Amino acid sequence: MAITKTDFINFTRCPRYVGLEQVKKENLDADITYDEYKNKEKSEIISELYSEMFDETENETIDLVNKIDPQLEALLPYYKQVEIEAGKIAAKYFDGKLIYADNTNNQECFDFTNEGILYKCYVDIYNENNDSINIIEVKATTSSKFEKLGCSIKGEKKSIFEKIDNTYYLKDELGNIDMPIKKYDENRMKLLNRYHDAGKYVYDLAIQRYIIENEYKQSNNSSKQIKYYLAILNHKYIFDGTYEKENPIYNKDENGNELITFIDLTNITSEYQKIIEEDEKKLRKYIMESNISECKFGPYCERKKKSECKYFGPVCSLKIPAKNSSLNYINNGFGFKTEKGDRIKGLDLINEGYIDLLDIPEEWIEKENHHIQRDCYTFNKEFIDKEKIKALIDTIEYPIYHLDFETFPCPLPRFKGEKPYIQSPFEFSLHIERAPGVCDKDKDNYVFLAKTMNDEREEMVKKMLEYMDPNKGTLLAQNVPFEKGRIKELANIFPKYKKDLMKLYDRGFDLIWLVSTNKKIYMDLGFDEQRASRINYYNNKLSGSYSIKKTLPVFSDLSYDNLEVKNGTEAIVVYANYNNFTKEEYNIKYQGLIDYCKQDTWAMVVILDALRKLIK
Ligand code: SF4
């Protein structure tokens, strides 16, 4: 059982991981086949796609410990296609022999053995010409993560990267740093942080380099210069809607952008080699010790990220209460200031023994909302500011359009006007509340759901404008920026409907403003700053969160448990599997999607009604 790149990344997280994984030491020098290798990497690929496609970690988690939901595998062809497109575009920019995913079994493989452990990797795109070798690792992430590393100078955004001929280079390598050196270095250092959003890809490529260079060292076999690149999706690319035999053709867009862009990380992965060498020593030590005893939490747990350690939920976090722990204070990213003036936050609170919400010393609590939360917990009571809730409810214009979209954030743009990972809507549910409390679950519900995976967006827009009058009423959603964002995108893609869609956009109202707060809106209503910043409602069941998953059980007995489709992740995978279902399965799942989205908007109607009753 060779150590793959994914194993390397996970086994070096902490001393405990290898022990939990029960790695068999005896056969770590045994080779694995291409298929076994790819199979081991599959969960990583799905988790990578998953982390790009799904924004929130709090609402839905995926159990990657023992299984991958087979439906999630419907996402794999999209990843494969990204690899193929990357290979095609690499052929335009790199001379010489090119080997990539199109002919997988020929993928270039590297390995080396050290102290009885075989390390192995396959190269996504291998390019060789007379003078050099280029190693290109394909990742289904986007260039925005790299481009945004930098700072603002006089309102102008500066990046530490510059793009020349479809490849990003670090500006220090080009000799044209255009920001204060301190800022530049701070951002560049992020690339050397394996738990940073962009740094994790650099770490991955640096392991690749480590294996490749060790193979060459052991075999004494290369004199050519080797360069190391990432190939990733260009976040600025807009698909022009060209198809050949129903397959999208990704030409350069009208701004000259390629779908795939490259990042030259040769120098930075070189700097990384000492660290990787140390990590390899650690890895060997962890394997030899195979220790499952508890260890401290750290950034390596990647809590709440989609790359969260698979043992966090089922094993290591069991000592943290599921509700009302010290981690559940509302919006507490900066943590608490101790008597000594230090800040302590996140999992360090747990490491230091502050586990329950009440374990945090009262003197550390600075924010009024945290005092409210603590009071509610201590005395098991509810907090409510009826006046604020009433004042905002009174501003709502009828009819209320309770709207929710289901979207498919495909890595590759599928339809004209789309970018990589655009949240492409395929369904909406709408409940129309014509006067306070006047809304029937079935009769006042309108659902549009695409029947196929083809482009049905225009029909969807027409239906939206048929059901909603853009000149009156309120567009209400839970997390309204999401719904507004989709409406704006559709408005730009379909200029014919732009005026009306933007009128709807301007009527957006967030249900969360009533339960939590919105400082600006309440100040506009005449509340002073302190009260406007204060939450409107709190109940222990919320456990510091105003997500729909938490608010719904507080205000209703509605449940998603008996539905065929129970959450947003399932909705996406059902849609992604449209073409894989039998007719019968399709009918059941199609209805499941209708029921799920309808439940989302009905939940909003129910919560709003419960709030009205609460303030009477
Ligand atoms: S959750 Fe954290 S401490 Fe536990 S095994 Fe994973 S990385 Fe290690």
Side-chain angles (χ1 to χ4, degrees), residues 60-119:
E60 292 156 18
T61 51
I62 177 173
D63 173 14
L64 285 169
V65 177
N66 298 314
K67 64 177 173 99
I68 290 176
D69 184 333
Q71 290 201 43
L72 276 172
E73 295 198 10
L75 304 176
L76 284 174
Y78 295 102
Y79 183 86
K80 190 91 187 146
Q81 196 57 35
V82 173
E83 283 190 323
I84 291 171
E85 297 299 334
K88 284 192 220 162
I89 294 172
K92 292 200 224 170
Y93 292 87
F94 296 88
D95 291 334
K97 183 178 82 169
L98 212 71
I99 303 173
Y100 65 98
D102 225 0
N103 43 2
T104 38
N105 284 319
N106 292 330
Q107 258 182 305
E108 203 65 20
C109 173
F110 290 87
D111 60 49
F112 79 99
T113 309
N114 190 16
E115 296 190 23
I117 299 179
L118 176 70
Y119 300 86

Coordinates of all heavy atoms in Angstrom, one line a residue, residues 60-119:
E60 N -25.1 21.5 6.4 CA -25.1 20.2 5.9 C -23.6 19.6 5.9 O -22.7 20.3 5.5 CB -25.5 20.1 4.4 CG -27.0 20.5 4.3 CD -27.3 21.0 2.9 OE1 -26.6 20.8 2.0 OE2 -28.4 21.6 2.8
T61 N -23.5 18.4 6.4 CA -22.2 17.9 6.4 C -22.2 16.5 5.6 O -23.2 15.9 5.5 CB -21.7 17.6 7.8 OG1 -22.7 16.8 8.5 CG2 -21.4 18.9 8.6
I62 N -21.0 16.2 5.2 CA -21.0 14.9 4.4 C -20.1 13.9 5.2 O -19.1 14.3 5.7 CB -20.4 15.2 3.0 CG1 -20.3 14.0 2.2 CG2 -19.1 16.0 3.1 CD1 -19.9 14.2 0.8
D63 N -20.6 12.7 5.3 CA -19.8 11.7 6.0 C -18.9 11.0 5.0 O -19.3 10.2 4.2 CB -20.8 10.7 6.6 CG -20.1 9.5 7.2 OD1 -18.9 9.6 7.4 OD2 -20.8 8.5 7.5
L64 N -17.6 11.4 5.1 CA -16.6 10.8 4.2 C -15.8 9.7 5.0 O -14.9 9.2 4.4 CB -15.7 11.9 3.7 CG -16.2 12.8 2.6 CD1 -15.3 13.9 2.3 CD2 -16.5 12.1 1.3
V65 N -16.2 9.4 6.2 CA -15.4 8.4 7.0 C -15.5 7.1 6.3 O -14.5 6.5 6.0 CB -15.9 8.4 8.4 CG1 -15.1 7.3 9.2 CG2 -15.7 9.7 9.1
N66 N -16.7 6.6 6.1 CA -16.8 5.2 5.7 C -17.3 5.1 4.3 O -17.3 4.1 3.7 CB -17.7 4.4 6.6 CG -17.1 4.4 8.0 OD1 -15.9 4.1 8.1 ND2 -17.9 4.7 9.0
K67 N -17.9 6.2 3.8 CA -18.6 6.0 2.5 C -18.6 7.4 1.8 O -18.5 8.4 2.4 CB -20.0 5.5 2.7 CG -20.9 6.5 3.4 CD -22.3 6.1 3.6 CE -23.0 7.0 4.5 NZ -23.9 8.0 3.9
I68 N -18.8 7.3 0.5 CA -19.1 8.5 -0.3 C -20.5 8.2 -0.8 O -20.7 7.1 -1.4 CB -18.1 8.7 -1.4 CG1 -16.8 9.1 -0.8 CG2 -18.6 9.7 -2.4 CD1 -15.7 9.2 -1.9
D69 N -21.4 9.1 -0.6 CA -22.7 8.9 -1.2 C -22.5 8.6 -2.7 O -22.0 9.4 -3.4 CB -23.5 10.2 -1.0 CG -24.9 10.1 -1.5 OD1 -25.1 9.3 -2.4 OD2 -25.7 10.8 -1.0
P70 N -23.0 7.5 -3.2 CA -22.8 7.1 -4.6 C -23.3 8.2 -5.5 O -22.8 8.4 -6.6 CB -23.6 5.8 -4.8 CG -24.1 5.4 -3.4 CD -23.8 6.5 -2.4
Q71 N -24.4 8.9 -5.0 CA -24.9 10.0 -5.9 C -23.9 11.1 -6.2 O -23.9 11.7 -7.2 CB -26.2 10.5 -5.3 CG -27.3 9.6 -5.3 CD -28.6 10.3 -5.2 OE1 -28.9 11.3 -5.8 NE2 -29.5 9.7 -4.4
L72 N -23.0 11.3 -5.2 CA -22.0 12.3 -5.4 C -21.1 12.0 -6.5 O -20.4 12.9 -7.1 CB -21.2 12.6 -4.1 CG -21.9 13.5 -3.0 CD1 -21.1 13.4 -1.8 CD2 -22.0 14.9 -3.5
E73 N -21.0 10.7 -6.8 CA -20.1 10.3 -7.9 C -20.6 10.9 -9.3 O -19.8 11.0 -10.2 CB -19.9 8.8 -8.0 CG -19.3 8.3 -6.7 CD -18.7 6.9 -6.9 OE1 -18.6 6.4 -8.0 OE2 -18.3 6.3 -5.8
A74 N -21.8 11.4 -9.3 CA -22.3 12.0 -10.5 C -21.5 13.3 -10.8 O -21.5 13.8 -11.9 CB -23.8 12.3 -10.4
L75 N -20.8 13.8 -9.8 CA -20.0 15.0 -10.0 C -18.7 14.7 -10.7 O -18.0 15.6 -11.2 CB -19.7 15.7 -8.7 CG -21.0 16.0 -7.8 CD1 -20.6 16.7 -6.5 CD2 -21.9 17.0 -8.6
L76 N -18.2 13.4 -10.6 CA -16.9 13.1 -11.1 C -16.7 13.4 -12.6 O -15.6 13.8 -13.0 CB -16.5 11.6 -10.8 CG -16.2 11.3 -9.3 CD1 -16.0 9.8 -9.1 CD2 -14.9 12.1 -8.9
P77 N -17.7 13.1 -13.4 CA -17.4 13.4 -14.8 C -17.1 14.9 -15.1 O -16.3 15.2 -16.0 CB -18.7 13.0 -15.5 CG -19.4 12.1 -14.6 CD -18.9 12.4 -13.2
Y78 N -17.6 15.8 -14.2 CA -17.3 17.2 -14.4 C -15.8 17.4 -14.1 O -15.2 18.2 -14.8 CB -18.2 18.0 -13.5 CG -19.6 18.0 -13.9 CD1 -20.5 17.2 -13.2 CD2 -20.1 18.6 -15.1 CE1 -21.9 17.1 -13.6 CE2 -21.4 18.5 -15.5 CZ -22.3 17.7 -14.7 OH -23.6 17.6 -15.1
Y79 N -15.3 16.7 -13.1 CA -13.9 16.9 -12.7 C -13.0 16.4 -13.9 O -12.1 17.0 -14.3 CB -13.6 16.1 -11.4 CG -12.2 16.3 -11.0 CD1 -11.8 17.4 -10.2 CD2 -11.2 15.4 -11.4 CE1 -10.5 17.6 -9.8 CE2 -9.9 15.5 -11.0 CZ -9.6 16.6 -10.2 OH -8.3 16.8 -9.8
K80 N -13.5 15.2 -14.4 CA -12.7 14.6 -15.5 C -12.6 15.5 -16.7 O -11.6 15.7 -17.3 CB -13.5 13.3 -15.9 CG -12.7 12.4 -16.8 CD -11.9 11.5 -16.0 CE -11.0 10.7 -16.9 NZ -9.7 10.3 -16.3
Q81 N -13.8 16.2 -16.9 CA -13.9 17.1 -18.1 C -12.9 18.3 -17.8 O -12.3 18.8 -18.8 CB -15.3 17.6 -18.3 CG -15.6 18.2 -19.6 CD -15.3 17.3 -20.8 OE1 -15.4 16.1 -20.7 NE2 -14.8 17.9 -21.9
V82 N -12.8 18.8 -16.6 CA -11.9 19.9 -16.3 C -10.5 19.4 -16.6 O -9.7 20.2 -17.3 CB -12.0 20.3 -14.8 CG1 -10.9 21.3 -14.4 CG2 -13.4 20.8 -14.4
E83 N -10.1 18.2 -16.3 CA -8.8 17.7 -16.6 C -8.6 17.7 -18.1 O -7.5 18.1 -18.6 CB -8.6 16.3 -16.1 CG -8.4 16.2 -14.6 CD -8.0 14.8 -14.2 OE1 -8.5 13.8 -14.7 OE2 -7.1 14.7 -13.3
I84 N -9.6 17.2 -18.8 CA -9.5 17.2 -20.3 C -9.3 18.6 -20.9 O -8.5 18.8 -21.8 CB -10.7 16.4 -20.9 CG1 -10.5 14.9 -20.5 CG2 -10.7 16.5 -22.4 CD1 -11.7 14.1 -20.8
E85 N -10.2 19.5 -20.5 CA -10.1 20.8 -21.0 C -8.7 21.5 -20.7 O -8.1 22.2 -21.5 CB -11.2 21.7 -20.4 CG -12.6 21.3 -20.8 CD -12.9 21.3 -22.3 OE1 -12.3 22.1 -23.0 OE2 -13.8 20.5 -22.7
A86 N -8.2 21.1 -19.5 CA -6.9 21.7 -19.1 C -5.8 21.1 -20.0 O -5.0 21.9 -20.4 CB -6.6 21.3 -17.6
G87 N -5.9 19.9 -20.3 CA -5.0 19.3 -21.2 C -5.0 19.9 -22.6 O -4.0 20.3 -23.2
K88 N -6.2 20.2 -23.1 CA -6.4 20.8 -24.4 C -5.8 22.2 -24.4 O -5.1 22.6 -25.4 CB -7.9 20.9 -24.8 CG -8.5 19.6 -25.2 CD -9.9 20.0 -25.8 CE -10.9 19.0 -25.4 NZ -12.3 19.5 -25.6
I89 N -6.0 22.9 -23.4 CA -5.5 24.3 -23.3 C -4.0 24.3 -23.1 O -3.3 25.1 -23.7 CB -6.3 25.2 -22.3 CG1 -7.8 25.3 -22.8 CG2 -5.7 26.6 -22.1 CD1 -8.8 25.9 -21.9
A90 N -3.5 23.4 -22.3 CA -2.1 23.3 -22.1 C -1.4 23.1 -23.4 O -0.3 23.6 -23.6 CB -1.8 22.2 -21.1
A91 N -2.0 22.3 -24.3 CA -1.4 22.1 -25.6 C -1.1 23.3 -26.4 O -0.2 23.4 -27.2 CB -2.2 21.1 -26.4
K92 N -1.9 24.4 -26.1 CA -1.7 25.7 -26.8 C -0.6 26.4 -26.2 O 0.0 27.3 -26.9 CB -3.0 26.5 -26.6 CG -4.2 26.0 -27.3 CD -5.2 27.2 -27.5 CE -6.6 26.9 -27.1 NZ -7.4 28.1 -27.0
Y93 N -0.2 26.2 -25.0 CA 0.7 27.1 -24.3 C 2.1 26.4 -24.0 O 3.0 27.0 -23.6 CB 0.2 27.6 -23.0 CG -1.0 28.6 -23.2 CD1 -2.3 28.1 -23.4 CD2 -0.7 29.9 -23.4 CE1 -3.3 29.0 -23.7 CE2 -1.8 30.8 -23.7 CZ -3.1 30.3 -23.8 OH -4.1 31.2 -24.1
F94 N 2.1 25.0 -24.1 CA 3.4 24.3 -23.8 C 3.8 23.5 -25.0 O 3.0 22.6 -25.4 CB 3.2 23.4 -22.6 CG 2.9 24.2 -21.3 CD1 1.6 24.5 -20.9 CD2 3.9 24.6 -20.4 CE1 1.3 25.2 -19.7 CE2 3.7 25.3 -19.3 CZ 2.3 25.6 -18.9
D95 N 5.0 23.7 -25.5 CA 5.5 22.9 -26.6 C 5.9 21.5 -26.2 O 6.2 21.3 -25.0 CB 6.7 23.6 -27.2 CG 6.4 24.9 -27.9 OD1 5.2 25.1 -28.3 OD2 7.3 25.8 -27.9
G96 N 5.9 20.6 -27.1 CA 6.4 19.3 -26.9 C 5.4 18.3 -26.5 O 4.2 18.5 -26.7
K97 N 5.9 17.1 -26.0 CA 5.0 16.0 -25.7 C 4.1 16.3 -24.5 O 4.6 16.8 -23.5 CB 5.9 14.8 -25.4 CG 5.2 13.5 -25.2 CD 6.2 12.4 -24.9 CE 6.7 12.4 -23.5 NZ 7.4 11.2 -23.1
L98 N 2.9 15.9 -24.7 CA 1.9 16.3 -23.6 C 1.2 15.0 -23.2 O 0.6 14.4 -24.1 CB 1.0 17.3 -24.1 CG 0.4 18.3 -23.1 CD1 1.5 19.3 -22.7 CD2 -0.7 19.1 -23.8
I99 N 1.2 14.6 -22.0 CA 0.4 13.4 -21.5 C -0.6 13.9 -20.5 O -0.2 14.5 -19.5 CB 1.3 12.4 -20.9 CG1 2.4 12.0 -21.9 CG2 0.5 11.1 -20.5 CD1 3.4 11.0 -21.3
Y100 N -1.9 13.6 -20.8 CA -2.9 14.1 -19.8 C -4.1 13.1 -19.8 O -4.1 12.1 -20.5 CB -3.3 15.5 -20.0 CG -4.0 15.8 -21.3 CD1 -5.4 15.9 -21.4 CD2 -3.3 16.0 -22.5 CE1 -6.0 16.2 -22.5 CE2 -3.9 16.3 -23.7 CZ -5.3 16.4 -23.7 OH -6.0 16.7 -24.9
A101 N -5.1 13.5 -19.0 CA -6.2 12.6 -18.7 C -7.0 12.0 -19.8 O -7.7 11.0 -19.6 CB -7.2 13.4 -17.8
D102 N -6.8 12.5 -21.0 CA -7.5 11.9 -22.2 C -7.2 10.4 -22.3 O -8.0 9.6 -22.7 CB -7.1 12.7 -23.4 CG -8.3 13.0 -24.3 OD1 -9.4 12.6 -23.8 OD2 -8.1 13.6 -25.3
N103 N -5.9 10.1 -22.0 CA -5.5 8.7 -22.1 C -4.9 8.3 -20.8 O -3.7 8.0 -20.6 CB -4.4 8.6 -23.2 CG -3.4 9.8 -23.2 OD1 -3.5 10.6 -22.3 ND2 -2.5 9.8 -24.1
T104 N -5.8 8.2 -19.8 CA -5.4 8.1 -18.4 C -4.3 7.0 -18.1 O -3.4 7.3 -17.3 CB -6.6 7.7 -17.6 OG1 -7.4 6.8 -18.3 CG2 -7.4 8.9 -17.2
N105 N -4.5 5.8 -18.7 CA -3.5 4.8 -18.2 C -2.1 5.1 -18.6 O -1.2 4.4 -18.1 CB -4.0 3.4 -18.8 CG -5.2 2.9 -18.0 OD1 -5.2 3.0 -16.8 ND2 -6.1 2.4 -18.8
N106 N -1.9 6.1 -19.4 CA -0.5 6.5 -19.8 C 0.0 7.6 -18.9 O 1.0 8.1 -19.1 CB -0.4 6.9 -21.2 CG -0.7 5.8 -22.2 OD1 -0.4 4.6 -21.8 ND2 -1.2 6.0 -23.3
Q107 N -0.9 8.0 -17.9 CA -0.4 9.2 -17.1 C 0.9 8.9 -16.5 O 1.2 7.8 -16.0 CB -1.5 9.4 -16.0 CG -2.4 10.6 -16.3 CD -3.4 10.9 -15.2 OE1 -4.1 10.0 -14.8 NE2 -3.4 12.1 -14.7
E108 N 1.7 9.9 -16.5 CA 3.1 9.8 -16.0 C 3.1 9.5 -14.5 O 2.4 10.2 -13.8 CB 3.9 11.1 -16.4 CG 5.4 10.9 -16.5 CD 5.9 10.1 -17.6 OE1 5.1 9.8 -18.5 OE2 7.0 9.6 -17.5
C109 N 3.8 8.6 -14.1 CA 3.8 8.2 -12.7 C 5.2 8.3 -12.1 O 6.2 8.1 -12.8 CB 3.4 6.7 -12.6 SG 3.5 6.0 -11.0
F110 N 5.3 8.8 -10.9 CA 6.6 8.9 -10.2 C 6.5 8.2 -8.8 O 5.4 8.3 -8.2 CB 7.0 10.4 -10.0 CG 7.3 11.1 -11.2 CD1 6.3 11.7 -12.0 CD2 8.6 11.2 -11.7 CE1 6.6 12.3 -13.2 CE2 9.0 11.8 -12.8 CZ 8.0 12.4 -13.6
D111 N 7.6 7.6 -8.4 CA 7.6 7.1 -7.0 C 9.0 7.0 -6.5 O 10.0 7.0 -7.2 CB 6.9 5.8 -6.9 CG 7.5 4.7 -7.8 OD1 8.7 4.5 -7.7 OD2 6.8 4.0 -8.5
F112 N 9.1 6.9 -5.2 CA 10.4 6.6 -4.6 C 10.2 5.9 -3.2 O 9.1 6.0 -2.7 CB 11.3 7.9 -4.4 CG 10.9 8.7 -3.2 CD1 11.6 8.7 -2.0 CD2 9.8 9.6 -3.3 CE1 11.3 9.4 -0.9 CE2 9.5 10.4 -2.1 CZ 10.2 10.3 -1.0
T113 N 11.2 5.3 -2.8 CA 11.0 4.6 -1.5 C 12.0 5.1 -0.5 O 13.2 5.4 -0.8 CB 11.3 3.0 -1.7 OG1 10.5 2.6 -2.8 CG2 11.0 2.2 -0.4
N114 N 11.5 5.3 0.7 CA 12.4 5.8 1.8 C 12.0 5.0 3.1 O 10.9 5.0 3.5 CB 12.2 7.3 2.0 CG 13.3 7.9 2.9 OD1 14.3 7.2 3.2 ND2 13.0 9.1 3.4
E115 N 13.0 4.4 3.7 CA 12.9 3.6 4.9 C 11.6 2.7 4.9 O 10.8 2.8 5.7 CB 12.8 4.6 6.1 CG 14.2 5.3 6.3 CD 14.3 6.0 7.6 OE1 13.5 5.7 8.6 OE2 15.1 7.0 7.7
G116 N 11.5 2.0 3.8 CA 10.4 1.0 3.7 C 9.1 1.6 3.3 O 8.1 0.9 3.4
I117 N 9.0 2.8 3.0 CA 7.7 3.4 2.6 C 7.8 3.9 1.1 O 8.7 4.6 0.8 CB 7.3 4.6 3.5 CG1 7.1 4.1 4.9 CG2 6.0 5.2 3.0 CD1 6.8 5.2 5.9
L118 N 6.8 3.4 0.3 CA 6.8 3.8 -1.1 C 5.9 5.0 -1.2 O 4.7 5.0 -0.8 CB 6.3 2.7 -1.9 CG 6.1 2.9 -3.4 CD1 7.4 3.1 -4.1 CD2 5.3 1.8 -4.0
Y119 N 6.4 6.1 -1.8 CA 5.6 7.3 -2.1 C 5.3 7.4 -3.6 O 6.2 7.2 -4.4 CB 6.3 8.6 -1.6 CG 6.7 8.6 -0.2 CD1 7.8 8.0 0.3 CD2 5.8 9.2 0.7 CE1 8.1 8.0 1.6 CE2 6.1 9.2 2.1 CZ 7.3 8.6 2.5 OH 7.6 8.5 3.9

